[in-house]
Amino acid sequence: MGAPSIVVEGVGKRFSLHQARAVSFRELLARRQAGAARPEREFWALRDVGFTVEPGHPLAIIGHNGSGKSTLLKLLTGILKPTQGKIDVRGRIGALIEVGAGFHPDLTGRENVYLNGSILGASRKEIDRQFDHIVAFAGLEKFIDTPVKRYSSGMYMRLGFSIAAHLEPEILLIDEVLAVGDAQFQSRCLGFLKRFVAQGGSVVFVSHVMGQVRELCDRCVWLDQGQMMGFGEATELIEKYEALVAEREEDEFQKLYPKEWAEQKQESKRAREREKERAERLAALLARRDSARARRTVARIAREREQCEAEEAKQAQKTEQERSHQERWSAEMTRLVAFESAWHEAEALQKQRNEVLADEARARCRRAFLDSPESFRIVAAELLDFEGHPTRALKVGEAAFLEVRYRAGRRLERPVIGVDFLRLPDQLHLFTVSNYDHQSDLPTPGKGTISLKIGTVALGQGRYRIRLATYPDCAVPEWFHAPEDIIESALEFDVDAGRFANGCAYLPTTWTTIE
């Protein structure tokens, strides 16, 4: 922090108040005959004021009207001399204290720029160099050659501020004049002041607009009836000042309008009571909300506990299923070992050309495989006539049904049951049909029954047998060459062809005479 640019020590300013002068010779004679002399009274506008202003730290002066703010600024500029105390100003001052101060009303804006600039101590070359910037900042390009007596107060203020700001001052003293300008120009001035402070300039700012004071200044001097109430951090002093202003306004309102004040106090009391009731309702709502949240939390914890227990039960069940599966797997492996042994035995007997023993070995092998609970096998088959009665004799031209019961101990992707019809005794393969041909799915795992409807028996006179086979998955290549279970003679039946006994098959025909 550099040396202070302004030092004020114990400054006071006294004014003498005289009785008004006589307005006529008769009044003057009357006063002299009465022996009345003009009384004089002392008025201290400021007493014992002291503070410092450092470069880069803008200072605000706040207080109600008549507190001595403008008097203090005039003392800082040298317009007035202090009655007591000392003021030390180090640097070139640019002051904007009153609207139109230093302006000649009959001169144009251009002429007043040079006049006001010279009053502030600037040379003509310096004013020439800054002239365009002054006019542009004030926004008076169209009116710079117009006499200032035709300017509005806002135009006065904009030109005065622009002159004071652009003649390279080191210290800017600004009174309430900023309140005259519009919002856009006020924002432009505050932006300029912020840049000026950032570059190390010193600002003393007097304003009743506390928003501008908070935005610009970090230090504050509070004056009240010529006494310094405080000097220090701006935000804290502004809060105290606004509280005192509100208190005085209420006291004044009570004195001037006691009835309205009483009504206002009563309304304020009712408002506080309503606010209290609202706060109590809000507290009750919050309590109910917290209670509901607690209940929801308890319910959530209970659900989570139930889910955890269910997961544990599920895991235990899975473990038990895995153990059971392992046991079945061990048993299956044992059966597979027996199956493999029987298979190798059958192969050895086949090589020895012992067909009977080989067939017996294959049968043992098949039984060892099909006894597994995981196998896909045929359980039973039944042939039914068109009325649904079990039969072993069918008639040509009538309907029939074939029911096949199966068992699958495991889940199969696309299982197939194949049905072959063969003629006896020559074993002629007549035809094959399956659920694969008709796109019919078999549910697995578990037990099931499929029904095959024969719409018309079209076989010739004779005896026949049905061969059944199961296939685990028709999606694998060459699936029809690898049945899992096969029953060569699931059942045998006879066909009575009647008058259609000639030939090996019956073809339904219709005869029509054409003339």
Side-chain angles (χ1 to χ4, degrees):
M1 184 181 297
S5 54
I6 298 176
V7 177
V8 178
E9 297 179 351
V11 169
K13 179 60 180 176
R14 181 187 60 197
F15 293 97
S16 296
L17 301 180
H18 300 278
Q19 185 180 12
R21 294 184 178 182
V23 295
S24 65
F25 182 69
R26 179 184 297 176
E27 183 180 352
L28 178 61
L29 290 177
R31 285 184 181 181
R32 287 188 176 180
Q33 289 176 0
R38 287 192 305 171
E40 293 187 1
R41 289 181 297 152
E42 291 184 346
F43 169 70
W44 286 88
L46 294 172
R47 270 189 183 274
D48 197 21
V49 176
F51 58 88
T52 59
V53 180
E54 286 83 12
H57 293 278
L59 176 76
I61 301 177
I62 63 174
H64 61 81
N65 290 331
S67 61
K69 303 187 300 298
S70 298
T71 301
L72 181 56
L73 280 188
K74 291 177 182 178
L75 291 173
L76 294 178
T77 57
I79 296 175
L80 299 176
K81 298 298 181 180
T83 305
Q84 62 184 23
K86 183 177 66 173
I87 297 177
D88 186 10
V89 178
R90 303 164 187 171
R92 181 175 177 178
I93 291 180
L96 191 61
I97 298 177
E98 295 179 359
V99 175
F103 285 177
H104 194 289
D106 294 325
L107 299 180
T108 64
R110 183 185 303 273
E111 293 166 339
N112 272 290
V113 168
Y114 286 93
L115 174 62
N116 198 265
S118 62
I119 292 173
L120 293 176
S123 64
R124 186 174 183 84
K125 289 184 178 180
E126 186 177 356
I127 298 173
D128 289 339
R129 186 174 69 252
Q130 295 290 343
F131 183 82
D132 292 338
H133 297 290
I134 293 171
V135 176
F137 188 87
L140 297 174
E141 293 90 339
K142 295 181 180 180
F143 309 101
I144 193 62
D145 292 312
T146 301
V148 297
K149 64 183 178 182
R150 298 177 184 172
Y151 283 7
S152 66
S153 58
M155 296 168 70
Y156 264 108
M157 186 277 298
R158 283 152 49 189
L159 185 59
F161 182 91
S162 185
I163 295 171
H166 285 83
L167 294 182
E168 299 180 357
E170 296 172 313
I171 302 170
L172 273 176
L173 306 179
I174 302 173
D175 203 348
E176 273 296 332
V177 290
L178 277 186
V180 180
D182 56 29
Q184 181 179 1
F185 187 74
Q186 288 182 26
S187 177
R188 190 188 309 172
C189 292
L190 289 174
F192 174 84
L193 293 175
K194 289 178 182 179
R195 292 191 298 272
F196 179 74
V197 169
Q199 295 170 0
S202 298
V203 173
V204 178
F205 184 56
V206 174
S207 177
H208 287 290
V209 183
M210 294 299 106
Q212 293 179 352
V213 173
R214 287 189 178 93
E215 183 177 357
L216 179 63
C217 303
D218 55 8
R219 293 186 181 182
C220 184
V221 170
W222 176 15
L223 298 177
D224 186 69
Q225 297 180 358
Q227 302 291 325
M228 192 170 74
M229 303 294 291
F231 167 56
E233 200 271 327
T235 302
E236 179 181 356
L237 289 178
I238 289 172
E239 291 176 355
K240 293 180 179 180
Y241 167 68
E242 290 178 338
L244 180 62
V245 169
E247 181 180 348
R248 288 179 176 175
E249 287 179 350
E250 184 174 359
D251 292 341
E252 184 177 359
F253 183 72
Q254 181 182 4
K255 292 177 182 178
L256 296 176
Y257 308 99
K259 182 179 178 181
E260 289 80 356
W261 179 84
E263 292 176 353
Q264 189 180 74
K265 295 296 289 185
Q266 189 65 26
E267 180 61 29
S268 299
K269 181 180 179 181
R270 288 194 293 267
R272 287 194 300 270
E273 291 175 353
R274 289 194 297 268
E275 182 65 23
K276 182 180 178 181
E277 292 176 359
R278 191 191 69 83
E280 291 175 352
R281 289 196 301 271
L282 179 60
L285 288 174
L286 292 176
R288 288 199 293 272
R289 184 199 65 181
D290 294 341
S291 178
R293 284 181 176 176
R295 290 195 298 271
R296 288 196 296 269
T297 301
V298 171
R300 177 177 56 80
I301 293 173
R303 287 196 302 271
E304 291 177 353
R305 185 182 297 111
E306 291 175 358
Q307 292 174 357
C308 183
E309 292 175 352
E311 288 293 331
E312 291 177 353
K314 185 178 179 181
Q315 185 64 31
Q317 182 181 5
K318 183 178 178 182
T319 303
E320 179 62 24
Q321 289 175 350
E322 290 178 351
R323 185 189 63 78
S324 176
H325 179 74
Q326 185 65 31
E327 291 178 354
R328 289 197 303 271
W329 176 254
S330 299
E332 183 68 18
M333 290 301 296
T334 302
R335 283 190 289 272
L336 286 176
V337 170
F339 169 79
E340 185 178 8
S341 176
W343 181 263
H344 288 311
E345 181 183 357
E347 286 185 339
L349 291 172
Q350 180 69 30
K351 289 179 181 179
Q352 296 174 6
R353 303 290 182 176
N354 193 335
E355 295 295 337
V356 175
L357 295 178
D359 289 341
E360 292 179 355
R362 289 191 187 95
R364 288 195 301 274
C365 174
R366 180 174 177 275
R367 284 195 300 274
F369 181 77
L370 293 179
D371 286 342
S372 169
E374 302 291 325
S375 62
F376 177 32
R377 61 176 298 183
I378 302 297
V379 176
E382 189 68 52
L383 190 63
L384 308 174
D385 61 16
F386 69 96
E387 293 180 348
H389 301 133
T391 185
R392 289 294 184 271
L394 302 177
K395 291 184 179 181
V396 169
E398 294 182 354
F401 297 91
L402 175 63
E403 290 186 353
V404 180
R405 293 193 296 275
Y406 66 92
R407 184 199 72 194
R410 66 188 187 279
R411 184 180 181 277
L412 302 174
E413 293 297 329
R414 299 180 63 184
V416 176
I417 293 180
V419 181
D420 297 323
F421 288 83
L422 298 98
R423 187 176 67 184
L424 296 175
D426 58 0
Q427 306 300 327
L428 177 64
H429 183 200
L430 300 177
F431 70 97
T432 297
V433 67
S434 67
N435 63 297
Y436 171 79
D437 302 323
H438 294 274
Q439 300 295 312
S440 177
D441 296 331
L442 299 179
T444 59
K447 297 179 180 180
T449 301
I450 61 170
S451 178
L452 173 64
K453 180 180 180 180
I454 304 171
T456 300
V457 175
L459 300 175
Q461 182 81 22
R463 189 169 181 79
Y464 300 88
R465 71 182 174 91
I466 295 177
R467 179 169 59 198
L468 299 175
T470 62
Y471 304 88
D473 190 356
C474 63
V476 301
E478 303 294 327
W479 59 272
F480 45 83
H481 291 312
E484 186 168 316
D485 185 17
I486 184 168
I487 301 178
E488 288 291 341
S489 185
L491 55 83
E492 295 182 4
F493 63 96
D494 295 313
V495 174
D496 180 9
R499 65 179 181 273
F500 303 112
N502 296 320
C504 63
Y506 164 71
L507 297 178
T509 58
T510 301
W511 291 72
T512 303
T513 301
I514 302 175
E515 296 181 357

